[in-house]
Amino acid sequence: LPYPHKSHGIKLVFQSSLSMGGPSGHGQKNKAHKSGNKGLNARDKHKLAREGPRVAAKATGNAAGGKQERMLATKQQRNAKHQELMEKRRRATSSPLVVGLLPLSRDVDLVHVWRSLLAACEMPAPGKAPTQAAASRRHSENGQGDADGQEDVDMECDAGGSSAATHLRAQTVGIAGRPKLRLTLLPPPGPRNDPLAIAEYGRAVEVLLLVTPGGEKATTIDAEGHMALGVLRALGLPETVLAVQGVSSGPGNRAATGSMKERSAARKRAEKAVGAALTGEQRAYPVDSTPDCGQLLRHLIERPAPSLPHWRRQRPALMVEAAEIAPHTQPDPSAAGPSADAPASPLCTLLLSGWVRCAGLRASQLVTIPGAGDFQLERIEGPPEGSAAGGGGTGSGKGGRSERSGTSSGKGGGEGRGDAMDMEGSQPVLLAQAGDDEREPLVRENVPDSDDEGEQTWPTDAEIAEAQQNMFQRRLSKHKVPEGTSAYQAAWIMDSDAEDEDGSEEAGGSEGGADDMMAEGNAGAYSDGEGDEAPDLVDNDDAGTDVMALDQGADEDDEDNDGGGKYARLQEEARAKRVAEGEDAEHPDEMEVPLGVSARVRFQKYKGLKSFRSSPWDPKEWLPKEYSRIFAFENLHRAHKRAREAVERATSGADPLAVEPGNYVRIVVKDVPVDKANQVVARVQASFPSPEAAAAAASSPDQGALPLMVMGLMTHESKMSVMHMSLRKAKDCSESLPNKEQMLFFTGLRSFPARPILSSDTPGDKHKMERWLRAGQQTMASVYAPISYTPLPVLAFKSDPLGGPMQLVAAGAVRSCDPERIVLKKVVLTGYPVRVHKKRATVRFMFHDPDDIRWFKPVEVYTRAGRRGRITEAIGTHGAMKCIFDGPVQQRELVCMNLYKRVYPKWPEGNNLTYA
């Protein structure tokens, strides 16, 4: 039928296919396949025969059981994680939480914040009555109990003024209503512009309280605050909490709370300013009143255990709260200390008390004391059983550990030490003691074997002095030479006695065959019988930075007496360094052969390389004598793994010679020099003073000293080796830093001065020495230092010549410990083609002597355009030479020759291996 139109008004009727008929409707049946569906095909049969019959999941009946097993396994994992978290929290709460206050601006009233925190610690929780001690304290000070304790804080701050910040001392306080929780409050370091003090401060704190001003016209973070945050970021930031102080409605009322709008605006300004300097979300807490500080304390004690940087978690630490000197016994003759070469000094036994933190402390390991050095432990003692200060809060265990209840003040304690160990009238409990064979030996440097067979030898001092005397006599001897002979030509004319002794002039030219072989191997040249004998080996190269010669002839004594003259001299030296750095950036590694010295003598330790990347260099070739005094690992990763396993056993309590973290102990340090011990005791008494000392120091202009952190060393971390550190120049440092510049390195464990050699941080077995530490460039610094395992931060400081505080010049991390890392100093000798013909060129001004040209003839030359060639012959007597290249050469190109020499770090000055 035709398709109906709408105008026809016909409706379409659709019929099913069944009614229309079809093959099935007419009874048609197709022929079935022969195989049908009676079995599997050949492929399935083969697969079934190989894998076995398939078993349905329902046939086993283990579906319900498998689900129950999975639920049970999930529950066990959840319980294990909860138990681990509770164990970590229990260990963290057993020792006082170290909270450090750091003002980010000079507009912060630190005294008001400090006293508000102390008042908040005595303030009871909501719904609870105040403690008797807190009530009596307020009644005795103010004559009446205040609801929030804010009026007495304001009165104290107004009486003391801002100058009262000079007598803040570290204190360990308890929390009202929380008898098991204690806080150790640390005041900020005295000089805010000292980055080294900020680094030592950041090593001690566990929670850092950043205090910013809340005023609208105040500077939220000043220059010193940005510097402190930069140092702490490079060292590894602990947990940070942001606080805002000083939101007031009037200029005279510093503690006024202000309106809610002002408080909200102040918090937003602080969060925005700190968020630009630190990563992550920062919530600001007001600290204008005692209730505000109480809310901040609740946040501190209810949050999870603080997460410390990894380098602090893998080593035990002890914040010393008390120190005293005990009578000394006879020193151990088998212990070779770091000052073995130094004159013997009186020794004593040092007793240090404090909380074990971060990891377990073993009695067999070494400890490093800042300012004193590395020492062995004689034993580890605990508080007496049943005493008020006894136990460590980690449950019963080895050696009489018991629960700790209450606080008491011991020797040198008082306010600064709320948790002290009173051992004067009772016998302490022995927690761990290692035998002489179980202690790690205190070895700083290696003692080479007396048998030198098969080892490379080094001349003795007497042989060196004799050689210098012979050379001096040879220079003084006069020869009869023809008129017009130059001094250089006269040096090659031998005496008649020497000619008679050697028999011929050629025999005399080969004198000192060992030196000839050294020069031949290093320069890559050979003797062709034309008078280019190997020169005497005189080291005229310091392998350091070839900077512009400064004015050394000025009278420095007069300049030192005159402040203006000294400042002008320093300015001139800084300008000369900047000029030399700019010239090296424009013409890297280029050097001219001096006119008065032969190139064979000046570059006698250098040799050429066909390819810097692929040419071989023996790492054990011509090593310096200092390499016989250091240690090297056969497998560094394996040694580091074993050291980590030892720390984990001590932390988990599996080591019988270790004390778990969270215990208050007294470590007995043996064989400490008396002068060093006196310095340690004086520093501890200044940081945690007794009540009498704190009262006497209230009027002193000095602020409390930084707390003393004793760090436990991992295995082999006291032995000398070659350490490589990755450094990046600080953004605020505008001073030019040449290679082998004197710096003070702070690694978190110890601080030490050194002159590092700088090299490129590139892949490969050879690395090019860098003459300057450039901004924005990752550079490797190599020094002789005790072994340190990664990860470990590194901060480099430089002293101020005018006597100011040290300046942070670079920051980075420890990279590796490898004495075989090859650092090559590159020297580029340049010449200019004076005549060019296709591939051949006549080059001048690279050398000044034809003998030098024949000496360096095997070394390859190249042009800046990429052409490579070689020297064919010398022309004349003024240093001209013929060269042939692999392509046409233009006359405007510069012809270059690369020479390389391996350089090594400088040994510590004065053989000072204390490293404290």
Side-chain angles (χ1 to χ4, degrees):
L1 296 176
Y3 188 80
H5 198 269
K6 292 182 179 181
S7 61
H8 295 167
I10 303 175
K11 296 182 179 180
L12 293 178
V13 179
F14 296 95
Q15 299 180 354
S16 63
S17 59
L18 296 177
S19 62
M20 297 180 64
S24 59
H26 294 285
Q28 178 181 350
K29 295 181 179 181
N30 297 327
K31 183 179 179 181
H33 294 284
K34 294 180 179 180
S35 62
N37 194 18
K38 297 179 180 179
L40 303 175
N41 56 18
R43 181 179 180 183
D44 292 338
K45 289 180 180 179
H46 178 70
K47 185 177 181 181
L48 185 62
R50 184 178 58 183
E51 299 179 358
R54 298 181 181 179
V55 181
K58 295 182 180 180
T60 61
N62 295 331
K67 183 177 180 180
Q68 293 178 359
E69 291 179 359
R70 290 194 301 271
M71 293 176 62
L72 181 60
T74 304
K75 183 180 179 180
Q76 291 175 351
Q77 293 177 2
R78 183 170 61 252
N79 293 340
K81 291 182 179 179
H82 179 71
Q83 184 70 18
E84 182 182 358
L85 179 62
M86 294 301 296
E87 180 72 16
K88 188 180 297 183
R89 182 176 297 180
R90 180 174 59 84
R91 289 177 178 174
T93 56
S94 60
S95 59
L97 180 65
V98 182
V99 180
L101 275 69
L102 183 64
L104 298 182
S105 175
R106 63 184 61 190
D107 297 332
V108 174
D109 190 356
L110 189 61
V111 178
H112 182 269
V113 177
W114 182 268
R115 295 179 176 174
S116 298
L117 286 174
L118 295 180
C121 292
E122 300 177 354
M123 184 180 65
K128 296 183 180 180
T131 60
Q132 184 178 1
S136 61
R137 178 182 179 274
R138 291 179 181 174
H139 183 76
S140 62
E141 290 183 358
N142 303 323
Q144 60 181 1
D146 197 6
D148 56 0
Q150 184 59 35
E151 295 182 3
D152 57 343
V153 173
D154 294 340
M155 293 173 59
E156 291 176 359
C157 293
D158 293 337
S162 60
S163 62
T166 57
H167 61 268
L168 298 181
R169 295 296 187 270
Q171 298 186 32
T172 300
V173 296
I175 307 297
R178 302 287 185 92
K180 292 186 178 181
L181 294 178
R182 295 170 300 277
L183 298 179
T184 299
L185 300 179
L186 296 182
R192 296 186 64 238
N193 59 346
D194 188 0
L196 184 58
I198 296 294
E200 293 186 0
Y201 184 75
R203 177 177 59 178
V205 299
E206 295 177 348
V207 176
L208 189 63
L209 186 59
L210 305 176
V211 187
T212 60
E216 186 176 358
K217 296 183 180 180
T219 303
T220 306
I221 305 178
D222 55 8
E224 289 81 4
H226 281 289
M227 181 272 298
L229 291 178
V231 172
L232 293 174
R233 281 198 308 267
L235 186 65
L237 267 177
E239 293 286 341
T240 57
V241 178
L242 181 59
V244 183
Q245 184 264 340
V247 182
S248 60
S249 57
N253 188 11
R254 293 172 299 178
T257 57
S259 63
M260 293 298 296
K261 185 177 180 180
E262 292 177 355
R263 293 165 65 92
S264 178
R267 287 198 301 267
K268 289 182 180 179
R269 285 193 299 268
E271 291 172 358
K272 182 179 179 181
V274 177
L278 302 178
T279 58
E281 259 186 62
Q282 300 291 337
R283 180 186 174 186
Y285 292 86
V287 288
D288 293 322
S289 61
T290 303
D292 292 338
C293 293
Q295 182 181 4
L296 175 62
L297 290 179
R298 285 192 295 272
H299 170 72
L300 291 177
I301 62 181
E302 291 176 359
R303 65 185 300 170
S307 177
L308 300 177
H310 183 64
W311 67 271
R312 292 178 60 179
R313 296 198 304 267
Q314 69 178 2
R315 293 176 179 86
L318 186 79
M319 181 183 291
V320 182
E321 299 181 1
E324 57 179 317
I325 300 176
H328 178 62
T329 58
Q330 293 297 328
D332 186 4
S334 62
S339 57
D341 297 339
S345 59
L347 301 178
C348 66
T349 300
L350 187 61
L351 308 179
L352 304 177
S353 303
W355 292 89
V356 180
R357 304 177 185 272
C358 303
L361 178 62
R362 292 178 289 119
S364 58
Q365 69 181 135
L366 302 177
V367 296
T368 176
I369 303 177
D374 302 343
F375 302 98
Q376 290 179 326
L377 295 181
E378 186 173 344
R379 60 185 180 275
I380 302 178
E381 300 174 346
E385 295 218 15
S387 62
T394 60
S396 60
K398 307 183 294 290
R401 301 177 191 172
S402 59
E403 291 293 342
R404 188 187 196 97
S405 60
T407 59
S408 65
S409 60
K411 185 175 181 178
E415 295 183 346
R417 297 176 57 247
D419 298 292
M421 185 190 301
D422 190 3
M423 294 186 179
E424 294 182 359
S426 59
Q427 184 69 21
V429 177
L430 179 63
L431 298 182
Q433 184 174 11
D436 295 338
D437 55 342
E438 295 175 333
R439 292 193 188 99
E440 184 178 353
L442 182 57
V443 178
R444 181 70 80 198
E445 56 179 327
N446 179 44
V447 178
D449 298 334
S450 58
D451 187 9
D452 294 335
E453 294 183 1
E455 302 289 339
Q456 70 177 19
T457 59
W458 192 263
T460 61
D461 296 339
E463 293 175 349
I464 294 177
E466 182 181 358
Q468 292 177 351
Q469 182 67 21
N470 294 338
M471 185 181 300
F472 180 73
Q473 294 294 340
R474 188 184 305 173
R475 291 178 179 176
L476 291 180
S477 60
K478 297 182 179 180
H479 306 282
K480 295 182 179 180
V481 296
E483 185 179 356
T485 304
S486 63
Y488 175 77
Q489 295 173 346
W492 288 96
I493 300 178
M494 302 186 63
D495 295 336
S496 58
D497 299 339
E499 293 180 1
D500 297 340
E501 180 181 355
D502 296 331
S504 62
E505 194 173 5
E506 288 78 5
S510 60
E511 184 179 5
D515 291 350
D516 295 338
M517 292 175 61
M518 179 177 178
E520 180 178 344
N522 287 342
Y526 61 94
S527 176
D528 56 0
E530 297 184 9
D532 52 348
E533 293 84 357
D536 293 334
L537 287 178
V538 181
D539 190 5
N540 296 327
D541 186 31
D542 60 349
T545 305
D546 300 297
V547 298
M548 180 180 296
L550 305 177
D551 186 10
Q552 302 292 340
D555 190 359
E556 297 184 358
D557 297 336
D558 296 341
E559 291 180 352
D560 292 341
N561 295 332
D562 185 8
K566 181 179 180 180
Y567 180 77
R569 178 173 58 84
L570 295 176
Q571 291 291 331
E572 182 65 22
E573 291 180 359
R575 186 193 66 81
K577 288 183 179 180
R578 289 194 298 268
V579 172
E581 184 178 5
E583 291 181 353
D584 183 71
E586 185 177 358
H587 306 286
D589 305 319
E590 290 189 8
M591 186 180 299
E592 295 182 358
V593 178
L595 293 175
V597 181
S598 175
R600 310 195 306 277
V601 176
R602 177 62 180 85
F603 305 108
Q604 58 188 337
K605 293 186 177 181
Y606 291 79
K607 64 180 179 181
L609 291 178
K610 181 71 176 179
S611 173
F612 185 83
R613 180 186 61 85
S614 60
S615 296
W617 193 295
D618 187 6
K620 294 181 174 59
E621 175 187 8
W622 301 111
L623 297 177
K625 60 181 180 180
E626 288 81 8
Y627 265 53
S628 63
R629 306 170 63 179
I630 64 175
F631 295 86
F633 285 105
E634 182 180 357
N635 191 330
L636 176 61
H637 298 285
R638 181 174 58 192
H640 189 193
K641 180 181 178 182
R642 292 177 178 175
R644 289 198 309 266
E645 292 175 352
V647 174
E648 292 173 359
R649 289 194 301 269
T651 305
S652 61
D655 193 345
L657 298 178
V659 177
E660 299 177 21
N663 288 277
Y664 192 88
V665 300
R666 183 173 74 178
I667 59 175
V668 181
V669 187
K670 56 184 301 187
D671 299 341
V672 182
V674 175
D675 53 346
K676 300 293 184 181
N678 292 329
Q679 296 176 6
V680 170
V681 172
R683 178 174 175 179
V684 173
Q685 291 178 354
S687 58
F688 286 90
S690 60
E692 298 79 6
S699 58
S700 65
D702 297 332
Q703 188 148 341
L706 294 170
L708 182 68
M709 294 296 296
V710 176
M711 306 291 292
L713 299 178
M714 302 175 72
T715 310
H716 304 303
E717 280 195 329
S718 65
K719 299 179 175 65
M720 289 289 292
S721 186
V722 180
M723 298 300 302
H724 306 286
M725 301 169 288
S726 177
L727 296 181
R728 185 179 292 269
K729 192 175 182 180
K731 295 182 179 179
D732 299 336
C733 180
S734 58
E735 184 181 357
S736 298
L737 301 174
N739 187 36
K740 294 187 179 180
E741 182 78 358
Q742 181 75 17
M743 298 181 186
L744 178 67
F745 288 93
F746 181 84
T747 63
L749 292 180
R750 49 170 69 93
S751 58
F752 55 91
R755 296 180 178 270
I757 58 170
L758 308 177
S759 60
S760 58
D761 187 7
T762 55
D765 61 339
K766 294 180 289 296
H767 309 272
K768 178 181 168 297
M769 189 198 77
E770 298 291 341
R771 285 177 165 81
W772 302 91
L773 182 61
R774 305 187 186 278
Q777 180 179 348
Q778 199 80 9
T779 307
M780 296 290 289
S782 303
V783 296
Y784 288 114
I787 296 170
S788 300
Y789 295 114
T790 59
L792 198 64
V794 174
L795 302 178
F797 300 93
K798 196 172 184 299
S799 59
D800 188 4
L802 298 179
M806 288 196 170
Q807 178 189 5
L808 178 66
V809 296
V814 173
R815 180 67 62 87
S816 64
C817 171
D818 185 12
E820 294 187 358
R821 187 177 187 268
I822 300 175
V823 179
L824 299 181
K825 179 181 178 181
K826 179 182 178 182
V827 169
V828 180
L829 304 181
T830 58
Y832 298 91
V834 295
R835 182 177 301 174
V836 174
H837 178 68
K838 295 183 179 180
K839 297 182 180 181
R840 299 181 179 275
T842 302
V843 181
R844 292 191 59 185
F845 307 114
M846 181 178 291
F847 302 104
H848 307 295
D849 187 5
D851 296 333
D852 294 340
I853 298 175
R854 287 186 285 269
W855 181 260
F856 291 99
K857 186 177 179 180
V859 184
E860 184 184 48
V861 295
Y862 66 96
T863 64
R864 293 292 175 85
R867 299 298 182 186
R868 296 184 175 273
R870 58 184 178 84
I871 301 174
T872 56
E873 60 177 336
I875 304 176
T877 59
H878 295 284
M881 60 183 179
K882 289 184 179 181
C883 301
I884 184 171
F885 296 89
D886 58 356
V889 182
Q890 298 182 2
Q891 193 164 357
R892 64 173 180 268
E893 294 182 2
L894 188 66
V895 180
C896 305
M897 175 186 291
N898 293 340
L899 299 177
Y900 300 93
K901 182 190 70 169
R902 185 177 179 182
V903 292
Y904 303 91
K906 281 188 173 295
W907 193 256
E909 296 182 1
N911 199 27
N912 183 15
L913 304 181
T914 303
Y915 286 96

